[in-house]
Amino acid sequence: MSRDRQDAVDPGQTGHIDAPLGARLRIERAARMSRSALADYLGVSVATIQKWENGSQRIPAGRLWQICRRLGLDVAALFVDMPHHVIGEVAGLAESAPDFDHEDTRAKRAAALARTAAGLPLDRLEVAETLIRALKSTPR
């Protein structure tokens, strides 16, 4: 049975994304608050938070949103710079794809550029957009 099919049959079972996501959550949470403070905020036990963080229990989507809101994070920030094999599996890509590493690097750079651009004032953002469009249309 494929991983997708298995996840659909048993959505509570942890998968390949749960451990790295939990580890990232632990790092972000530890930088901002204690496990017990987050548990109190969510109305769950400290043991539940610990299970989410070690990947032995899947984090419900609604809870992930609440956690990110409390920590002041964008949900997508938890997935930035995930190991490429995890992102590849999530996106349905095989590591054996010929341009996988190149595309992974390209995606990371584009995401970093987008994060940087998001912090620019509107007038500078317009200049950056013009520059990027000019670079895109310039032959190499």
Side-chain angles (χ1 to χ4, degrees):
M1 180 180 300
S2 74
R3 166 58 74 188
D4 290 339
R5 177 88 172 113
Q6 187 176 358
D7 285 349
V9 171
D10 186 3
Q13 183 176 357
T14 60
H16 60 281
I17 190 72
D18 297 306
L21 178 61
R24 178 67 53 84
L25 174 61
R26 181 178 57 249
I27 291 166
E28 296 294 343
R29 189 258 324 137
R32 292 166 175 82
M33 67 176 47
S34 69
R35 201 176 273 143
S36 61
L38 182 60
D40 288 344
Y41 173 77
L42 296 172
V44 299
S45 69
V46 172
T48 297
I49 302 292
Q50 189 171 13
K51 288 175 187 177
W52 290 342
E53 290 180 351
N54 71 25
S56 65
Q57 185 174 327
R58 182 162 285 169
I59 306 169
R63 289 293 192 188
L64 186 59
W65 181 83
Q66 288 177 313
I67 291 166
C68 288
R69 188 169 143 209
R70 179 65 178 100
L71 297 179
L73 293 172
D74 181 30
V75 173
L78 292 176
F79 295 92
V80 171
D81 294 331
M82 278 281 186
H84 71 274
H85 70 278
V86 172
I87 299 301
E89 289 174 17
V90 170
L93 302 172
E95 280 189 52
S96 60
D99 293 327
F100 186 82
D101 289 331
H102 170 73
E103 290 301 319
D104 188 45
T105 301
R106 182 180 173 84
K108 285 181 182 179
R109 287 186 176 170
L113 179 61
R115 284 191 303 274
T116 301
L120 292 174
L122 186 56
D123 60 330
R124 289 187 178 186
L125 184 59
E126 290 170 353
V127 171
E129 181 182 6
T130 302
L131 175 62
I132 290 169
R133 287 182 193 277
L135 287 171
K136 183 179 177 186
S137 63
T138 304
R140 283 184 129 195

